[in-house]
Amino acid sequence: MKVLVINCGSSSIKYQLFDMTDESVLASGLVEKIGTDAAIIKQEIPGREELVLTSEILDHRDGLNKVLSLLMSEEHGVIQSADDILAVGHRVVHGGEFFSESVVITSEVRQAIRKTIDLAPLHNPPNLLGIDAAQAQLANAVHVAVFDTAFHQTMPDYAFMYPIPRVLYQKHRIRRYGFHGTSHKYVAQKAAEFLGRPLENLKLVIAHIGNGASLSAIEYGKSVDTSMGMTPLEGLMMGTRSGDIDPAIVPFVMAKEDLTLGEVQSMLNKHSGLLGVSGLSGDMREVTEAMFDGNPQAKLAIEMYVYRLRKMIGAYFAALNGADALIFTAGVGENASLIREKVCSGLSYLGMEIDLEENSVRRKEDRRISTSQSKIDVLVIPTNEELMIARDAKNLVSSRSTML
């Protein structure tokens, strides 16, 4: 079974084609600058040189058509025809309260996704464009929606509700939804496999820290809390997002700086976090390098990032009344050994102890970085959201075939 995974942005299409017999990646790529006459298509196939093309691509349907032509071409392709693709997994950012799991896309599902556009106005519309384009080009495939928010729908109401007038939840569904759910679900499953224990018997704290960052508390396989909220802005300090701040700062800054609502939203989402504090970059690698070069603002940015992360990890251990493992994943979590060391050194009261030598090694594989004496397992598990989407698509196709 071959499954195509699609992630559509407003002017882009990310894709991966999987052979699910062994879960290998046959091809992956990116279409950028859709809507222009200088759109760029990049495609990688294992064992071959990266292909880069420039072309006029007016819309997502045209972009996907060019992707399929590449995948089927004699020179650059890996499949014979579009019918080789039995399923398409679509990443959809927000499923609201409608979806607690991945679903086969129907007209009712499309309607529900449209109803959540006001919760994710920048993401759900292009996600729907991708669904439209793919269904037009791959009419014989089963199309599946996989939601960033779905995994966190198991949170209890006392975790997802905000202490604001309840009428705002009743009228506008204002509540914590959480994001990165596909990643947290995948990493939780991989952690259980690595530890050789049933996921249903484990309590885990997962730190998905990349440019965007979120924590999750996983109790016996279910998400019971997560740090991102109604939007991805809440929670941890991130690359360019502020994370938690006093909400009164927003009207105060708007009045003092004469900012519009759009400008202050841009400030908090695109110009804060590591970038805002360091004044240099939202990239952890660049800020860390500047810190070692003696830049005091970079040093402060790292100290704030680590402090806020460690503090929230402690809160999640408290929320679970203890946990079996702390897991780092995503770009920073998988690669920034300094951040892992600084975070864990401040959690020794939990009986956590990491192996400094093992922590310093950089390998893209599941591994334990805690010592044999540590009371808490500390793991590094590379995330793979695309594979999780492909698995969900495969499982839904298999279930559908069994029902037929």
Side-chain angles (χ1 to χ4, degrees):
M1 178 188 288
K2 294 179 176 64
V3 175
L4 180 64
V5 173
I6 294 176
N7 180 1
C8 284
S10 58
S11 61
S12 66
I13 301 172
K14 293 180 182 178
Y15 64 94
Q16 284 196 27
L17 180 64
F18 289 88
D19 183 344
M20 295 307 291
T21 56
D22 60 1
E23 297 189 337
S24 60
V25 177
L26 300 177
S28 61
L30 172 65
V31 185
E32 299 178 286
K33 299 182 180 179
I34 292 174
T36 73
D37 59 2
I40 300 170
I41 305 174
K42 299 177 182 178
Q43 179 168 285
E44 294 186 17
I45 294 174
R48 304 187 198 176
E49 289 187 8
E50 182 184 34
L51 176 69
V52 181
L53 301 173
T54 302
S55 174
E56 180 182 66
I57 298 179
L58 299 180
D59 55 29
H60 286 74
R61 183 175 297 193
D62 186 22
L64 188 57
N65 182 53
K66 286 184 168 56
V67 167
L68 291 172
S69 296
L70 270 181
L71 292 173
M72 294 184 293
S73 73
E74 186 173 339
E75 183 179 0
H76 304 294
V78 292
I79 57 175
Q80 296 297 314
S81 73
D83 289 337
D84 289 346
I85 299 172
L86 296 187
V88 182
H90 297 266
R91 181 198 180 205
V92 181
V93 167
H94 217 303
E97 293 184 317
F98 295 106
F99 304 103
S100 59
E101 58 187 4
S102 302
V103 294
V104 173
I105 297 172
T106 63
S107 58
E108 291 78 14
V109 168
R110 292 162 61 89
Q111 185 177 1
I113 295 172
R114 287 194 187 95
K115 288 180 180 178
T116 61
I117 284 177
D118 61 338
L119 295 174
L122 299 179
H123 296 94
N124 275 24
N127 294 161
L128 281 167
L129 286 175
I131 291 170
D132 290 340
Q135 288 186 323
Q137 300 290 341
L138 296 163
N140 294 329
V142 177
H143 293 260
V144 171
V146 180
F147 302 91
D148 280 15
T149 52
F151 182 60
H152 299 303
Q153 282 295 299
T154 53
M155 286 189 292
D157 54 3
Y158 57 78
F160 71 68
M161 289 294 290
Y162 289 115
I164 57 176
R166 184 172 175 80
V167 66
L168 295 174
Y169 169 70
Q170 294 169 328
K171 290 176 63 176
H172 306 297
R173 314 320 285 178
I174 295 175
R175 50 158 285 182
R176 171 174 286 108
Y177 290 97
F179 298 88
H180 296 145
T182 306
S183 173
H184 287 289
K185 180 181 178 182
Y186 174 85
V187 170
Q189 292 177 0
K190 292 290 285 183
E193 291 174 15
F194 182 88
L195 294 170
R197 296 173 59 184
L199 182 56
E200 294 75 17
N201 294 345
L202 289 169
K203 293 195 288 186
L204 308 170
V205 175
I206 299 175
H208 174 114
I209 46 175
N211 186 50
S214 65
L215 288 180
S216 66
I218 311 299
E219 187 172 43
Y220 311 136
K222 294 183 178 181
S223 173
V224 295
D225 205 348
T226 190
S227 59
M228 284 182 168
M230 177 177 162
T231 77
L233 181 59
E234 186 181 358
L236 298 168
M237 177 177 168
M238 308 178 213
T240 63
R241 295 183 186 129
S242 67
D244 290 346
I245 62 168
D246 180 348
I249 292 173
V250 173
F252 183 86
V253 171
M254 288 178 70
K256 290 292 185 180
E257 297 293 326
D258 194 25
L259 298 180
T260 65
L261 181 59
E263 287 170 336
V264 78
Q265 286 179 329
S266 178
M267 178 191 78
L268 294 175
N269 280 284
K270 299 179 181 179
H271 305 284
S272 297
L274 285 173
L275 172 61
V277 177
S278 71
L280 299 170
S281 173
D283 189 309
M284 178 62 74
R285 294 165 296 187
E286 295 179 8
V287 178
T288 302
E289 184 178 346
M291 179 186 71
F292 285 131
D293 287 341
N295 186 301
Q297 289 306 117
K299 181 175 183 289
L300 175 62
I302 297 294
E303 288 175 341
M304 288 174 62
Y305 187 98
V306 167
Y307 175 74
R308 292 164 73 96
L309 175 55
R310 184 172 62 231
K311 183 169 65 170
M312 195 168 288
I313 287 172
Y316 276 46
F317 270 82
L320 290 170
N321 192 22
D324 298 287
L326 169 64
I327 304 151
F328 291 95
T329 192
V332 176
E334 294 168 28
N335 299 299
S337 59
L338 176 68
I339 300 301
R340 296 193 299 261
E341 178 186 341
K342 285 179 173 292
V343 167
C344 292
S345 66
L347 296 171
S348 58
Y349 72 96
L350 293 171
M352 187 180 298
E353 181 180 305
I354 65 167
D355 183 325
L356 295 178
E357 183 176 349
E358 179 60 29
N359 180 56
S360 66
V361 176
R362 188 168 174 176
R363 295 197 304 270
K364 194 167 181 62
E365 61 182 21
D366 302 344
R367 59 198 178 96
R368 180 185 281 105
I369 61 170
S370 51
T371 67
S372 58
Q373 290 79 35
S374 180
K375 294 180 180 179
I376 307 291
D377 282 307
V378 183
L379 310 179
V380 178
I381 295 184
T383 192
N384 194 333
E385 294 171 275
E386 291 79 11
L387 178 56
M388 191 76 250
I389 293 171
R391 285 177 178 173
D392 279 8
K394 175 191 173 183
N395 291 338
L396 282 168
V397 170
S398 299
S399 299
R400 193 181 192 203
S401 299
T402 301
M403 292 174 63
L404 294 175

